[in-house]
Amino acid sequence: MVMFIAGGVIAGLSGAVLVGFIGVWAPATWLYPETIVLFAALIVGGRGNNLGALLGALLVPVGFEEVTRFLPQVGPPGLIPAMQWVAIGLLIIGFLWFRPRGTLPERRRVFADPPPAGAPNQSGANSTHRVAPEEEGCADRSRPLLAAEGVERRFEGLRAVDGVSIEVFPGRITGLIGPNGAGKSTLLAVLAGTLPASAGRILLGGADVTRLPAYQRAQRGLVRTFQLSSEFAQLTVLENLLVAVPRHRGDSLAGALRGRSYWWADERPAVLRARALLARFGMSAQESEYGGTLSGGQKKLLEIMRALMLGPRALLLDEPMAGVHPSLVEEIAACVESLRDEGLAILMVEHELSMVDRLCDPVIVMAQGQVIGRGSMPVLRRQREIVDAYLAG
Ligand SMILES: Nc1ncnc2c1ncn2[C@@H]1O[C@H](COP(=O)(O)OP(=O)(O)OP(=O)(O)O)[C@@H](O)[C@H]1O
Ligand SMILES: [Mg+2]
């Protein structure tokens, strides 16, 4: 947000300086060609980096608008300006086709500085490190870490979540199943704080977190993933993980402006932790690839790893295996199992019942915003109304 505002201020000041030069300005003077020239400058120069934008700003307006003024007059009047637009059009097509990232492409940030061999482990520096905070190892697994009490979420007249009470225990994967529109994702959103509850209470480790915003719940160890992967397509895999690091000194505009020496001390352990997660989940080779180029399954894994960067105690997974190639489903399942074995409390929405059979105990069944059954899958399969409502499909 601060960056958007800073960008807007710079753009506004640039406009003010420009008007100082040209003397007069009105929206009507901003015509279609001006917009085309700006787009062409970015496409030719290179999106996403300052040097590319600068080069484009020199090449396109200067090269095509100013230089043509000095060409000898040939053909009927207006031919050269018309040809100039044809040339810019061809240039745009040519770049988009052959060099879509422009003359000076955005440079991927490749993190050097691997941990020296034999160096003592920093936070997360080995590939078998635990994800959950230390105290989770001795967490009381007989007490729920996360609990919802009579939680409701209404959208106008619709009760998407209607008086739901559930408990999620450490060291277990609690399944959440139900037909489309049952309210599963809405419940996860309310638990994580991305949607406020209309009524009811949410307890994390016994403390009432109902009124806390999502980021404060995340700081206390309650983190969710999304049904639709939400990676940053233009950031590398490692950067995607680093954005999740809480309380990073470079997070603020002032901190970022103070330079690398100010925030590097925070970033180094975060890089090591991210690398440890990548190694653990078999994605080290993709460290410097753009998030947008990953397969569906890799994006789901990235989503889980990003949640793990926060060192959660409770993890809410929304269909982590949906739409994933079968070869990666097994890896994601093994990843979730290993997190359970470390003592994380996991609540997982899943439609693939064979996976629920294998991973989840207990299982909660929702329909029309309400819990209609709970227990182990074999027990649920013996309950007629649940089979009719969901399992038969
Ligand atoms: N932001 C919203 N505004 C209005 N209605 C919503 C909103 N989000 C969800 N709903 C409605 O709430 C109900 C529950 O939706 P939800 O996405 O939680 O279902 P779900 O169980 O996750 O379904 P699926 O298995 O298809 O993901 C649906 O009827 C949906 O249309
Ligand atoms: Mg859903």
Side-chain angles (χ1 to χ4, degrees):
M1 177 58 84
V2 175
M3 293 301 172
F4 271 118
I5 294 171
V9 168
I10 292 170
L13 285 176
S14 314
V17 171
L18 178 68
V19 172
F21 275 108
I22 59 179
V24 62
W25 181 256
T29 56
W30 186 266
L31 298 173
Y32 189 53
E34 269 78 24
T35 309
I36 297 286
V37 168
L38 275 188
F39 275 117
L42 280 180
I43 291 167
V44 171
R47 287 177 297 139
N49 72 105
N50 298 340
L51 278 181
L54 192 65
L55 181 72
L58 289 174
L59 281 181
V60 177
V62 175
F64 279 83
E65 289 202 273
E66 304 303 327
V67 167
T68 49
R69 291 173 205 253
F70 302 101
L71 292 180
Q73 189 57 253
V74 287
L79 179 68
I80 289 185
M83 292 311 292
Q84 170 191 330
W85 290 112
V86 172
I88 288 189
L90 290 174
L91 200 67
I92 291 176
I93 293 171
F95 266 86
L96 288 180
W97 197 272
F98 295 109
R99 205 174 162 86
R101 292 191 175 272
T103 312
L104 290 178
E106 179 187 6
R107 282 243 304 275
R108 258 183 286 194
R109 190 168 168 212
V110 177
F111 288 76
D113 193 23
N121 284 328
Q122 307 214 5
S123 110
N126 65 31
S127 63
T128 55
H129 82 292
R130 296 171 52 81
V131 165
E134 275 308 306
E135 70 267 25
E136 280 318 295
C138 43
D140 183 352
R141 296 191 179 194
S142 62
R143 284 214 214 141
L145 181 66
L146 175 66
E149 292 178 355
V151 166
E152 274 183 37
R153 173 65 207 193
R154 292 184 289 270
F155 294 112
E156 307 293 337
L158 175 78
R159 286 172 186 267
V161 175
D162 189 4
V164 168
S165 298
I166 61 166
E167 293 180 331
V168 184
F169 290 83
R172 285 203 213 164
I173 305 170
T174 302
L176 184 57
I177 63 174
N180 295 117
K184 307 178 296 293
S185 295
T186 307
L187 176 61
L188 251 55
V190 171
L191 289 173
T194 41
L195 275 178
S198 308
R201 288 205 313 159
I202 295 152
L203 303 171
L204 179 65
D208 190 336
V209 295
T210 320
R211 302 274 157 251
L212 293 187
Y215 79 92
Q216 284 185 12
R217 294 187 206 187
Q219 284 170 359
R220 292 180 178 215
L222 172 59
V223 187
R224 73 173 292 200
T225 67
F226 289 86
Q227 187 168 349
L228 299 175
S229 301
S230 56
E231 78 288 343
F232 295 98
Q234 300 279 1
L235 296 184
T236 65
V237 167
L238 189 59
E239 286 173 325
N240 262 282
L241 297 182
L242 294 180
V243 293
V245 176
R247 300 190 203 92
H248 186 293
R249 287 212 263 180
D251 274 351
S252 65
L253 181 60
L257 290 177
R258 287 179 71 170
R260 186 183 160 89
S261 57
Y262 178 67
W263 45 256
W264 177 236
D266 284 354
E267 186 156 285
R268 187 179 154 77
V271 170
L272 293 176
R273 182 171 174 82
R275 284 202 169 124
L277 283 170
L278 288 167
R280 174 172 169 175
F281 297 119
M283 282 191 55
S284 295
Q286 283 78 33
E287 173 180 313
S288 299
E289 284 181 19
Y290 284 114
T293 63
L294 299 181
S295 71
Q298 288 171 329
K299 286 179 183 173
K300 293 277 189 181
L301 265 176
L302 179 61
E303 184 105 357
I304 297 174
M305 285 188 287
R306 199 168 50 193
L308 297 179
M309 284 295 288
L310 290 148
R313 300 187 286 160
L315 190 58
L316 313 177
L317 302 173
D318 201 347
E319 302 194 30
M321 293 160 216
V324 173
H325 191 272
S327 60
L328 260 182
V329 164
E330 182 50 42
E331 265 181 59
I332 296 178
C335 148
V336 177
E337 276 175 325
S338 72
L339 296 171
R340 171 199 62 195
D341 295 341
E342 281 188 15
L344 258 71
I346 299 174
L347 178 64
M348 183 171 85
V349 177
E350 185 52 57
H351 277 291
E352 184 51 61
L353 292 183
S354 59
M355 269 302 156
V356 180
D357 273 320
R358 169 179 154 187
L359 298 175
C360 303
D361 189 14
V363 175
I364 295 162
V365 190
M366 279 184 78
Q368 296 180 342
Q370 297 182 335
V371 173
I372 59 166
R374 63 184 91 211
S376 66
M377 276 302 266
V379 169
L380 290 171
R381 283 188 196 282
R382 288 199 291 273
Q383 295 178 21
R384 170 123 212 140
E385 63 279 13
I386 289 170
V387 174
D388 289 348
Y390 183 61
L391 299 180

